[in-house]
Amino acid sequence: MGMLCAYALASNKMDVFESFFRSIDMRKKSQLFYQVFFKKLMYREVRAFIDCNDEVSIPLAFPVCYMPIYNVKYYWLKGSYNPVWFRYICAAINYPFLHVFPTLLNKRFAIDGGAADNIPLFPLLTHGKNFLDKGHDFDLVIVLHFDARYDYRIDFTTDIPILELDLAVCNEFKKNHYDFSGQFVDEMINKAEEYGDVIFDRLFSGDCSRESLQKVINEIFLEEHAVRQQNVSLDRLVTILNKVGKALREDSTCNKRLF
């Protein structure tokens, strides 16, 4: 979902992405699994979602994990649609439990990059400037995830303000796995929009210097921290397993252009 959400934002198609979620309307696990496993729901939607008229205006990086050596590569998209994008994006959303077979990419098996790096800050903070226009830098990095114990400071030191949010906070960590009924999806989207409005109003209603942004970010983190420490999400296990992927990562050669 992170990969698709990022593509929707970078190509200015968030309205199309939102419509996809609102149209699923499935409450039962059996319905959802049938559509995903046997009717190829995700690949069907991705093929309809990504088309030849797309223009990716924001440089977009996403991870793909190659098996069986558990090696991660980060691929960058930018500019006008390229037919090769579809194959790489299909690999990036090939979650092992939702698809019987891995994707064959570059003569190797490839799966969802989250298996090796679930919260891919690495390509942005270490190689990001190489993919921005000359003279540009990051003003703010926004990290959205579902790991209540995640803290980017453990792995990265940077002077770029990083707003890091567990999206389950605005839902009070309510767990309705596999409930994609129209009513529940509408409720989640509305809560997320309300929470986003509050966060961004605090960030951008006054001084937007790096120092001011960092001060507000620190306040938000401390407010959420106590609540997050009382909850543990499934993504915590994935984040821990990512340590293996990062240990096997070849930092000097892991970023590739697809444009």
Side-chain angles (χ1 to χ4, degrees), residues 1-240:
M1 287 301 101
M3 165 68 231
L4 295 179
C5 188
Y7 185 88
L9 178 63
S11 60
N12 196 28
K13 298 177 75 172
M14 287 299 291
D15 55 337
V16 179
F17 192 54
E18 180 178 335
S19 296
F20 160 61
F21 274 102
R22 292 187 185 275
S23 66
I24 295 176
D25 197 19
M26 297 180 201
R27 182 182 296 275
K28 296 180 180 179
K29 293 180 184 179
S30 57
Q31 286 180 298
L32 185 63
F33 285 172
Y34 176 75
Q35 287 294 326
V36 170
F37 279 108
F38 300 108
K39 293 296 185 178
K40 298 183 178 180
L41 172 67
M42 292 305 300
Y43 292 91
R44 212 170 61 231
E45 293 297 333
V46 169
R47 188 170 291 279
F49 179 55
I50 300 171
D51 63 59
C52 59
N53 296 316
D54 288 348
E55 185 75 22
V56 174
S57 58
I58 304 172
L60 168 62
F62 61 92
V64 171
C65 182
Y66 286 95
M67 304 300 288
I69 56 175
Y70 207 60
N71 176 242
V72 65
K73 299 284 186 187
Y74 303 94
Y75 294 101
W76 289 80
L77 308 181
K78 187 183 178 184
S80 299
Y81 170 81
N82 185 325
V84 76
W85 291 0
F86 182 77
R87 291 195 301 113
Y88 284 85
I89 290 174
C90 282
I93 66 168
N94 193 331
Y95 194 66
F97 299 107
L98 297 181
H99 198 261
V100 178
F101 301 105
T103 300
L104 190 63
L105 195 61
N106 299 321
K107 298 181 180 180
R108 291 185 291 171
F109 289 124
I111 62 172
D112 180 352
D117 193 357
N118 194 42
I119 305 176
L121 263 175
F122 172 81
L124 295 180
L125 297 182
T126 57
H127 297 275
K129 287 186 180 181
N130 298 331
F131 298 91
L132 295 178
D133 294 334
K134 188 175 181 180
H136 286 214
D137 197 358
F138 294 104
D139 299 309
L140 172 68
V141 174
I142 302 173
V143 183
L144 308 177
H145 60 81
F146 288 100
D147 181 353
R149 306 297 173 85
Y150 179 75
D151 185 350
Y152 75 88
R153 298 168 185 81
I154 296 172
D155 296 309
F156 301 103
T157 301
T158 178
D159 61 349
I160 300 171
I162 298 180
L163 174 65
E164 175 257 298
L165 299 172
D166 184 331
L167 296 180
V169 169
C170 64
N171 188 34
E172 299 176 347
F173 291 90
K174 183 179 179 181
K175 295 178 174 60
N176 278 46
H177 300 309
Y178 310 111
D179 185 349
F180 284 87
S181 62
Q183 179 181 351
F184 183 71
V185 171
D186 287 346
E187 179 186 338
M188 295 303 97
I189 290 176
N190 291 337
K191 284 187 176 181
E193 288 180 344
E194 290 172 5
Y195 190 63
D197 287 343
V198 171
I199 292 293
F200 283 97
D201 184 60
R202 292 176 64 178
L203 280 172
F204 303 121
S205 60
D207 180 9
C208 292
S209 65
R210 282 198 170 189
E211 293 75 16
S212 178
L213 287 175
Q214 189 62 62
K215 180 181 178 182
V216 176
I217 287 170
N218 290 342
E219 292 171 355
I220 294 170
F221 176 78
L222 290 175
E223 290 167 9
E224 288 193 352
H225 184 70
V227 178
R228 285 169 55 171
Q229 291 303 301
Q230 298 173 21
N231 293 273
V232 179
S233 64
L234 291 176
D235 276 10
R236 169 92 299 232
L237 175 61
V238 179
T239 307
I240 293 172

